[in-house]
Amino acid sequence: MSKVFIHDQLIRFAHCDPAAIVYFPRFFDLAHSTMEDWFADGVGIPLAELIRERRIGTPTVKINCDFVKPLRMGDTLRFELRVSKLGNASVNMDYRGTKDGIEHLQIKQTLVFMNLDSAKATPIPNDVRKRIEKFLIAPDKAS
Amino acid sequence: MSKVFIHDQLIRFAHCDPAAIVYFPRFFDLAHSTMEDWFADGVGIPLAELIRERRIGTPTVKINCDFVKPLRMGDTLRFELRVSKLGNASVNMDYRGTKDGIEHLQIKQTLVFMNLDSAKATPIPNDVRKRIEKFLIAPDKAS
Amino acid sequence: MSKVFIHDQLIRFAHCDPAAIVYFPRFFDLAHSTMEDWFADGVGIPLAELIRERRIGTPTVKINCDFVKPLRMGDTLRFELRVSKLGNASVNMDYRGTKDGIEHLQIKQTLVFMNLDSAKATPIPNDVRKRIEKFLIAPDKAS
Amino acid sequence: MSKVFIHDQLIRFAHCDPAAIVYFPRFFDLAHSTMEDWFADGVGIPLAELIRERRIGTPTVKINCDFVKPLRMGDTLRFELRVSKLGNASVNMDYRGTKDGIEHLQIKQTLVFMNLDSAKATPIPNDVRKRIEKFLIAPDKAS
């Protein structure tokens, strides 16, 4: 049974625009924070450690987002994070964003593991892969 | 023959991350600036005027992005903006991001015209529609 | 004896620049988050409530900052927040930013309570004032 | 007679908060852009070149700001940039922010030239110093 990483964040003043709703590029900052905390607390290997000690970065090569309902200052955004595909050097991440149990947005992101010195894709190290696999959803459940 | 809105922006220090490349959420700020200048200089109706005088906002309901090559501080990002579909209350925008003529990213965005008082979708006003139509690509050329 | 509001925040990837240290304008976002949590959890009146229900905003009219030591991704920034002066419509806030007990930055900020409809300064409501007073440092200890 | 660097920037949607005025931390992004363009077009040595080729960064060690009047989306912010002091390794910069000739904010910033490899202050290179000197205001005119 695959694990889901649950991550709550407060919508702040700085996230909101003159229409008093979240300015959409800020949702990608919020998703990035979720990914950072997933690496640290879910996978168990902080991104800062991956970058500094292993010289591996995880640039985003593709991202799709559907904004279903707006969010406002003071709301709590919950992201449920799952891994929908695990490639040799890439990870497909699914973020389901809810408030009070109701879906407000969906993000699908593809990360690539990259050697920061050569700037080329690099296979996901085995110890990291094993930890990421726990969040991989069963193929028949992937959307 | 449809028009293309060409928009150049300098990649700045603040756009870049510890890997010295653009942190991807900043590309959506850059695309938003392009959209704002398109409204003001291409369509001929500034977004600020739309918001203040007509109480119409243009929230993004869907956005897809492929990041092909990284960009760095000092690079000039050129966006070529086209309209790929014009609905009753929605506009599909295609941004082709290049540097020195080489494609670096692609963004496809769906905007909805929204009445800011009712927070509901509203038909695109006719005068605005006519001006947007000039940027609509021929259906057989849409990707 | 005056209270101090203690607030910890993780330094994230998005806060850092190509030199891999916090890009200084991000410290003001971090201070703003501290202020928001102080209003909600210290003062006991969320800023969102102040804005929506009382139509009072708290724009910053003056801010001074000394950056003593840099901070990096993965560091925990602790702000100790104190009120150094409480005027009729203004509040002077002192943020002492530390990491591992060592001072890294200092921010002094002046907020003004503003009626959002008239866009004019408005006296701090009495119930709010009484709660803010608890964080006011003794005059002889103010720097 | 000292030179003044004049720099205009459009206030955009992304700079503004739910009160529809510029969220104050964004003014520091706007000042940073002015500084970058000053290095490139005023001093004649782009910051990106300083960073990459000379391994010199210019972190901010002190910044003070007075916000006199708010700015809104669609406004043009003009910064007049002057150098008020030129030290061995530091530069004091004065930004006077106006709209339609009326002062809206003032920023005073101290930069330090830093060797990016040693992370220590380094004397301003002579060729750079000579170019910066042109923007140094006469001592009796410094505020």
Side-chain angles (χ1 to χ4, degrees):
Chain A
M1 174 101 177
S2 73
K3 288 164 77 176
V4 180
F5 186 72
I6 304 290
H7 193 251
D8 289 338
Q9 283 173 100
L10 185 64
I11 299 300
R12 296 187 172 281
F13 191 74
H15 299 133
C16 298
D17 66 20
I21 61 174
V22 174
Y23 170 61
F24 84 85
R26 301 295 166 254
F27 281 120
F28 298 108
D29 284 308
L30 291 161
H32 205 282
S33 295
T34 298
M35 184 185 76
E36 288 178 40
D37 288 354
W38 172 69
F39 266 110
D41 304 326
V43 175
I45 299 166
L47 207 52
E49 187 188 310
L50 213 58
I51 292 171
R52 284 184 205 149
E53 294 173 23
R54 304 204 196 188
R55 301 288 300 149
I56 293 175
T58 57
T60 295
V61 294
K62 191 182 185 75
I63 199 154
N64 294 347
C65 189
D66 287 283
F67 304 100
V68 183
K69 287 171 182 293
L71 284 156
R72 288 182 175 75
M73 187 186 176
D75 287 346
T76 294
L77 167 63
R78 165 163 293 188
F79 270 129
E80 300 168 9
L81 177 58
R82 295 170 177 88
V83 172
S84 61
K85 195 178 160 189
L86 188 55
N88 182 48
S90 67
V91 187
N92 288 24
M93 321 259 284
D94 273 30
Y95 304 78
R96 185 169 173 261
T98 66
K99 188 190 83 164
D100 302 332
I102 295 162
E103 187 168 295
H104 279 59
L105 71 154
Q106 272 202 338
I107 298 180
K108 293 178 186 295
Q109 177 189 33
T110 305
L111 303 176
V112 167
F113 277 60
M114 191 181 79
N115 180 309
L116 289 171
D117 297 314
S118 70
K120 301 222 161 132
T122 187
I124 302 169
N126 267 332
D127 62 320
V128 182
R129 171 179 296 275
K130 277 181 193 160
R131 290 155 174 267
I132 292 179
E133 262 171 4
K134 293 176 188 164
F135 295 90
L136 183 63
I137 56 179
D140 59 325
K141 297 209 176 147
S143 57
Chain B
M1 175 97 180
S2 72
K3 287 164 77 177
V4 180
F5 185 73
I6 304 290
H7 192 251
D8 289 337
Q9 284 174 99
L10 185 63
I11 299 300
R12 295 187 172 280
F13 191 73
H15 299 132
C16 298
D17 66 20
I21 61 175
V22 175
Y23 170 60
F24 84 86
R26 302 295 167 255
F27 281 121
F28 298 108
D29 284 309
L30 292 160
H32 205 282
S33 295
T34 298
M35 183 185 75
E36 289 177 38
D37 288 353
W38 173 69
F39 266 109
D41 304 326
V43 175
I45 299 166
L47 207 52
E49 187 188 310
L50 214 57
I51 292 171
R52 284 185 205 148
E53 294 173 23
R54 305 204 196 189
R55 300 289 300 148
I56 292 175
T58 58
T60 295
V61 294
K62 190 181 185 75
I63 199 154
N64 294 347
C65 189
D66 287 282
F67 304 100
V68 183
K69 288 170 183 292
L71 284 156
R72 290 184 173 73
M73 187 186 177
D75 287 346
T76 295
L77 167 62
R78 166 164 292 189
F79 270 128
E80 300 169 9
L81 177 58
R82 294 170 177 88
V83 173
S84 61
K85 195 178 159 188
L86 187 55
N88 181 47
S90 68
V91 187
N92 288 24
M93 320 259 284
D94 272 29
Y95 303 78
R96 184 169 173 259
T98 66
K99 188 189 82 165
D100 303 331
I102 296 162
E103 187 167 295
H104 280 59
L105 71 153
Q106 272 201 338
I107 298 180
K108 292 178 187 295
Q109 178 188 32
T110 306
L111 303 176
V112 167
F113 276 60
M114 191 181 80
N115 180 309
L116 288 171
D117 296 313
S118 69
K120 300 222 161 131
T122 188
I124 303 169
N126 265 334
D127 62 320
V128 182
R129 171 181 295 278
K130 277 181 194 160
R131 290 157 174 265
I132 292 180
E133 261 170 4
K134 294 177 188 164
F135 295 89
L136 183 64
I137 56 178
D140 59 324
K141 295 208 177 148
S143 56
Chain C
M1 173 98 178
S2 73
K3 287 164 78 178
V4 181
F5 185 72
I6 304 290
H7 192 252
D8 289 338
Q9 284 173 99
L10 184 64
I11 299 300
R12 296 187 173 280
F13 191 75
H15 300 131
C16 299
D17 66 20
I21 61 174
V22 175
Y23 170 61
F24 84 85
R26 301 297 165 253
F27 282 121
F28 298 108
D29 283 308
L30 291 161
H32 205 281
S33 294
T34 298
M35 183 186 76
E36 289 178 38
D37 288 354
W38 172 70
F39 266 109
D41 304 327
V43 175
I45 299 165
L47 207 52
E49 187 187 310
L50 215 58
I51 292 172
R52 285 186 207 148
E53 294 172 22
R54 305 204 196 189
R55 301 287 302 149
I56 293 174
T58 58
T60 295
V61 294
K62 191 183 184 75
I63 198 154
N64 294 347
C65 188
D66 287 282
F67 304 100
V68 184
K69 287 171 183 292
L71 284 155
R72 289 181 175 75
M73 187 186 176
D75 287 347
T76 294
L77 167 62
R78 165 164 292 189
F79 270 128
E80 301 169 9
L81 177 58
R82 294 170 177 87
V83 172
S84 61
K85 194 179 162 190
L86 187 55
N88 181 48
S90 67
V91 187
N92 288 24
M93 321 260 283
D94 272 30
Y95 303 78
R96 185 169 173 259
T98 66
K99 188 190 82 165
D100 303 332
I102 296 161
E103 187 167 294
H104 280 59
L105 70 155
Q106 273 201 338
I107 298 179
K108 293 180 186 295
Q109 177 188 31
T110 306
L111 302 176
V112 168
F113 277 59
M114 190 181 81
N115 180 309
L116 288 172
D117 296 314
S118 70
K120 300 220 162 135
T122 187
I124 303 170
N126 266 332
D127 63 319
V128 182
R129 171 179 295 278
K130 277 181 193 159
R131 289 156 174 265
I132 292 179
E133 262 170 4
K134 294 176 187 163
F135 296 90
L136 183 63
I137 57 179
D140 59 324
K141 296 208 175 148
S143 56
Chain D
M1 173 97 179
S2 72
K3 286 163 77 176
V4 181
F5 185 73
I6 305 290
H7 192 252
D8 290 338
Q9 284 174 98
L10 183 64
I11 299 300
R12 295 187 173 279
F13 190 75
H15 299 132
C16 298
D17 66 20
I21 61 174
V22 175
Y23 170 62
F24 84 84
R26 301 295 167 255
F27 281 121
F28 298 107
D29 283 309
L30 291 161
H32 205 281
S33 295
T34 299
M35 182 185 77
E36 289 177 38
D37 289 353
W38 172 68
F39 266 109
D41 304 326
V43 176
I45 299 165
L47 207 52
E49 186 187 311
L50 215 57
I51 292 171
R52 286 186 205 147
E53 292 172 25
R54 305 204 196 189
R55 300 288 301 149
I56 292 174
T58 58
T60 295
V61 294
K62 191 182 184 75
I63 197 154
N64 295 346
C65 188
D66 288 282
F67 303 100
V68 183
K69 287 170 183 293
L71 284 156
R72 289 181 174 75
M73 187 186 176
D75 287 347
T76 294
L77 167 62
R78 166 164 290 190
F79 271 129
E80 300 169 9
L81 177 58
R82 295 170 176 87
V83 172
S84 62
K85 194 178 161 190
L86 187 55
N88 182 46
S90 67
V91 186
N92 288 23
M93 320 260 284
D94 273 29
Y95 302 78
R96 184 169 173 260
T98 66
K99 187 190 82 164
D100 302 332
I102 296 162
E103 186 167 295
H104 279 59
L105 72 154
Q106 271 202 340
I107 298 179
K108 293 180 187 293
Q109 177 188 32
T110 307
L111 303 177
V112 168
F113 276 60
M114 190 181 79
N115 180 309
L116 288 171
D117 297 314
S118 70
K120 300 220 162 134
T122 188
I124 301 168
N126 266 333
D127 62 320
V128 182
R129 171 180 296 278
K130 276 181 194 160
R131 289 156 174 265
I132 291 179
E133 262 170 5
K134 294 176 188 164
F135 296 89
L136 184 64
I137 57 180
D140 59 325
K141 296 208 175 149
S143 57

